[in-house]
mmCIF file with all atom_site columns, all heavy atoms in Angstrom:
data_model
loop_
_atom_site.group_PDB
_atom_site.id
_atom_site.type_symbol
_atom_site.label_atom_id
_atom_site.label_alt_id
_atom_site.label_comp_id
_atom_site.label_asym_id
_atom_site.label_entity_id
_atom_site.label_seq_id
_atom_site.pdbx_PDB_ins_code
_atom_site.Cartn_x
_atom_site.Cartn_y
_atom_site.Cartn_z
_atom_site.occupancy
_atom_site.B_iso_or_equiv
_atom_site.pdbx_formal_charge
_atom_site.auth_seq_id
_atom_site.auth_comp_id
_atom_site.auth_asym_id
_atom_site.auth_atom_id
_atom_site.pdbx_PDB_model_num
ATOM 1  N N   . GLN A 1 118 ? -3.754 7.970  4.424  1.00 81.00 ? 118 GLN A N   1
ATOM 2  C CA  . GLN A 1 118 ? -3.151 6.644  4.417  1.00 81.00 ? 118 GLN A CA  1
ATOM 3  C C   . GLN A 1 118 ? -1.779 6.706  3.780  1.00 81.00 ? 118 GLN A C   1
ATOM 4  O O   . GLN A 1 118 ? -0.991 5.784  3.906  1.00 81.00 ? 118 GLN A O   1
ATOM 5  C CB  . GLN A 1 118 ? -4.005 5.680  3.587  1.00 81.00 ? 118 GLN A CB  1
ATOM 6  C CG  . GLN A 1 118 ? -5.485 5.848  3.745  1.00 81.00 ? 118 GLN A CG  1
ATOM 7  C CD  . GLN A 1 118 ? -6.038 4.948  4.797  1.00 81.00 ? 118 GLN A CD  1
ATOM 8  O OE1 . GLN A 1 118 ? -5.481 3.900  5.050  1.00 81.00 ? 118 GLN A OE1 1
ATOM 9  N NE2 . GLN A 1 118 ? -7.104 5.348  5.448  1.00 81.00 ? 118 GLN A NE2 1
ATOM 10 N N   . ASP A 1 119 ? -1.543 7.758  3.062  1.00 82.00 ? 119 ASP A N   1
ATOM 11 C CA  . ASP A 1 119 ? -0.375 7.801  2.206  1.00 82.00 ? 119 ASP A CA  1
ATOM 12 C C   . ASP A 1 119 ? -0.244 9.247  1.721  1.00 82.00 ? 119 ASP A C   1
ATOM 13 O O   . ASP A 1 119 ? -1.229 9.853  1.319  1.00 82.00 ? 119 ASP A O   1
ATOM 14 C CB  . ASP A 1 119 ? -0.665 6.857  1.035  1.00 82.00 ? 119 ASP A CB  1
ATOM 15 C CG  . ASP A 1 119 ? 0.377  6.868  -0.052 1.00 82.00 ? 119 ASP A CG  1
ATOM 16 O OD1 . ASP A 1 119 ? 0.664  7.928  -0.607 1.00 82.00 ? 119 ASP A OD1 1
ATOM 17 O OD2 . ASP A 1 119 ? 0.870  5.796  -0.368 1.00 82.00 ? 119 ASP A OD2 1
ATOM 18 N N   . ASN A 1 120 ? 0.961  9.793  1.791  1.00 88.00 ? 120 ASN A N   1
ATOM 19 C CA  . ASN A 1 120 ? 1.148  11.193 1.417  1.00 88.00 ? 120 ASN A CA  1
ATOM 20 C C   . ASN A 1 120 ? 0.668  11.508 0.002  1.00 88.00 ? 120 ASN A C   1
ATOM 21 O O   . ASN A 1 120 ? -0.112 12.429 -0.214 1.00 88.00 ? 120 ASN A O   1
ATOM 22 C CB  . ASN A 1 120 ? 2.630  11.561 1.531  1.00 88.00 ? 120 ASN A CB  1
ATOM 23 C CG  . ASN A 1 120 ? 3.033  11.911 2.949  1.00 88.00 ? 120 ASN A CG  1
ATOM 24 O OD1 . ASN A 1 120 ? 2.514  12.862 3.526  1.00 88.00 ? 120 ASN A OD1 1
ATOM 25 N ND2 . ASN A 1 120 ? 3.931  11.134 3.514  1.00 88.00 ? 120 ASN A ND2 1
ATOM 26 N N   . GLN A 1 121 ? 1.195  10.725 -0.963 1.00 82.00 ? 121 GLN A N   1
ATOM 27 C CA  . GLN A 1 121 ? 0.879  11.008 -2.367 1.00 82.00 ? 121 GLN A CA  1
ATOM 28 C C   . GLN A 1 121 ? -0.614 10.892 -2.623 1.00 82.00 ? 121 GLN A C   1
ATOM 29 O O   . GLN A 1 121 ? -1.217 11.700 -3.313 1.00 82.00 ? 121 GLN A O   1
ATOM 30 C CB  . GLN A 1 121 ? 1.580  9.995  -3.282 1.00 82.00 ? 121 GLN A CB  1
ATOM 31 C CG  . GLN A 1 121 ? 3.060  9.934  -3.126 1.00 82.00 ? 121 GLN A CG  1
ATOM 32 C CD  . GLN A 1 121 ? 3.761  10.899 -4.063 1.00 82.00 ? 121 GLN A CD  1
ATOM 33 O OE1 . GLN A 1 121 ? 3.142  11.826 -4.581 1.00 82.00 ? 121 GLN A OE1 1
ATOM 34 N NE2 . GLN A 1 121 ? 5.040  10.710 -4.247 1.00 82.00 ? 121 GLN A NE2 1
ATOM 35 N N   . GLU A 1 122 ? -1.160 9.816  -2.053 1.00 80.00 ? 122 GLU A N   1
ATOM 36 C CA  . GLU A 1 122 ? -2.552 9.526  -2.336 1.00 80.00 ? 122 GLU A CA  1
ATOM 37 C C   . GLU A 1 122 ? -3.460 10.596 -1.730 1.00 80.00 ? 122 GLU A C   1
ATOM 38 O O   . GLU A 1 122 ? -4.390 11.075 -2.371 1.00 80.00 ? 122 GLU A O   1
ATOM 39 C CB  . GLU A 1 122 ? -2.860 8.164  -1.746 1.00 80.00 ? 122 GLU A CB  1
ATOM 40 C CG  . GLU A 1 122 ? -4.205 7.655  -2.097 1.00 80.00 ? 122 GLU A CG  1
ATOM 41 C CD  . GLU A 1 122 ? -4.582 6.528  -1.151 1.00 80.00 ? 122 GLU A CD  1
ATOM 42 O OE1 . GLU A 1 122 ? -3.786 5.602  -0.973 1.00 80.00 ? 122 GLU A OE1 1
ATOM 43 O OE2 . GLU A 1 122 ? -5.667 6.628  -0.583 1.00 80.00 ? 122 GLU A OE2 1
ATOM 44 N N   . PHE A 1 123 ? -3.172 10.997 -0.492 1.00 90.00 ? 123 PHE A N   1
ATOM 45 C CA  . PHE A 1 123 ? -3.986 12.024 0.132  1.00 90.00 ? 123 PHE A CA  1
ATOM 46 C C   . PHE A 1 123 ? -3.836 13.341 -0.623 1.00 90.00 ? 123 PHE A C   1
ATOM 47 O O   . PHE A 1 123 ? -4.810 14.052 -0.861 1.00 90.00 ? 123 PHE A O   1
ATOM 48 C CB  . PHE A 1 123 ? -3.596 12.215 1.599  1.00 90.00 ? 123 PHE A CB  1
ATOM 49 C CG  . PHE A 1 123 ? -4.456 13.221 2.313  1.00 90.00 ? 123 PHE A CG  1
ATOM 50 C CD1 . PHE A 1 123 ? -5.762 12.900 2.652  1.00 90.00 ? 123 PHE A CD1 1
ATOM 51 C CD2 . PHE A 1 123 ? -3.984 14.486 2.615  1.00 90.00 ? 123 PHE A CD2 1
ATOM 52 C CE1 . PHE A 1 123 ? -6.576 13.822 3.274  1.00 90.00 ? 123 PHE A CE1 1
ATOM 53 C CE2 . PHE A 1 123 ? -4.794 15.415 3.237  1.00 90.00 ? 123 PHE A CE2 1
ATOM 54 C CZ  . PHE A 1 123 ? -6.093 15.087 3.574  1.00 90.00 ? 123 PHE A CZ  1
ATOM 55 N N   . PHE A 1 124 ? -2.616 13.624 -1.032 1.00 89.00 ? 124 PHE A N   1
ATOM 56 C CA  . PHE A 1 124 ? -2.381 14.825 -1.818 1.00 89.00 ? 124 PHE A CA  1
ATOM 57 C C   . PHE A 1 124 ? -3.238 14.796 -3.085 1.00 89.00 ? 124 PHE A C   1
ATOM 58 O O   . PHE A 1 124 ? -3.837 15.806 -3.461 1.00 89.00 ? 124 PHE A O   1
ATOM 59 C CB  . PHE A 1 124 ? -0.889 14.903 -2.180 1.00 89.00 ? 124 PHE A CB  1
ATOM 60 C CG  . PHE A 1 124 ? -0.530 16.072 -3.043 1.00 89.00 ? 124 PHE A CG  1
ATOM 61 C CD1 . PHE A 1 124 ? -0.498 17.354 -2.525 1.00 89.00 ? 124 PHE A CD1 1
ATOM 62 C CD2 . PHE A 1 124 ? -0.221 15.894 -4.389 1.00 89.00 ? 124 PHE A CD2 1
ATOM 63 C CE1 . PHE A 1 124 ? -0.166 18.436 -3.323 1.00 89.00 ? 124 PHE A CE1 1
ATOM 64 C CE2 . PHE A 1 124 ? 0.114  16.972 -5.190 1.00 89.00 ? 124 PHE A CE2 1
ATOM 65 C CZ  . PHE A 1 124 ? 0.140  18.238 -4.655 1.00 89.00 ? 124 PHE A CZ  1
ATOM 66 N N   . GLY A 1 125 ? -3.341 13.620 -3.699 1.00 82.00 ? 125 GLY A N   1
ATOM 67 C CA  . GLY A 1 125 ? -4.182 13.477 -4.887 1.00 82.00 ? 125 GLY A CA  1
ATOM 68 C C   . GLY A 1 125 ? -5.631 13.848 -4.632 1.00 82.00 ? 125 GLY A C   1
ATOM 69 O O   . GLY A 1 125 ? -6.295 14.396 -5.503 1.00 82.00 ? 125 GLY A O   1
ATOM 70 N N   . THR A 1 126 ? -6.105 13.597 -3.407 1.00 88.00 ? 126 THR A N   1
ATOM 71 C CA  . THR A 1 126 ? -7.512 13.885 -3.129 1.00 88.00 ? 126 THR A CA  1
ATOM 72 C C   . THR A 1 126 ? -7.761 15.374 -2.904 1.00 88.00 ? 126 THR A C   1
ATOM 73 O O   . THR A 1 126 ? -8.856 15.848 -3.137 1.00 88.00 ? 126 THR A O   1
ATOM 74 C CB  . THR A 1 126 ? -8.026 13.120 -1.883 1.00 88.00 ? 126 THR A CB  1
ATOM 75 O OG1 . THR A 1 126 ? -7.346 13.617 -0.723 1.00 88.00 ? 126 THR A OG1 1
ATOM 76 C CG2 . THR A 1 126 ? -7.799 11.638 -2.009 1.00 88.00 ? 126 THR A CG2 1
ATOM 77 N N   . ILE A 1 127 ? -6.764 16.116 -2.425 1.00 93.00 ? 127 ILE A N   1
ATOM 78 C CA  . ILE A 1 127 ? -7.010 17.542 -2.151 1.00 93.00 ? 127 ILE A CA  1
ATOM 79 C C   . ILE A 1 127 ? -6.436 18.452 -3.229 1.00 93.00 ? 127 ILE A C   1
ATOM 80 O O   . ILE A 1 127 ? -6.775 19.628 -3.302 1.00 93.00 ? 127 ILE A O   1
ATOM 81 C CB  . ILE A 1 127 ? -6.442 17.976 -0.772 1.00 93.00 ? 127 ILE A CB  1
ATOM 82 C CG1 . ILE A 1 127 ? -4.951 17.681 -0.682 1.00 93.00 ? 127 ILE A CG1 1
ATOM 83 C CG2 . ILE A 1 127 ? -7.182 17.294 0.365  1.00 93.00 ? 127 ILE A CG2 1
ATOM 84 C CD1 . ILE A 1 127 ? -4.309 18.238 0.582  1.00 93.00 ? 127 ILE A CD1 1
#
Side-chain angles (χ1 to χ4, degrees):
Chain A
Q118 321 267 333
D119 174 303
N120 277 299
Q121 303 270 18
E122 187 197 309
F123 183 73
F124 178 73
T126 66
I127 57 173

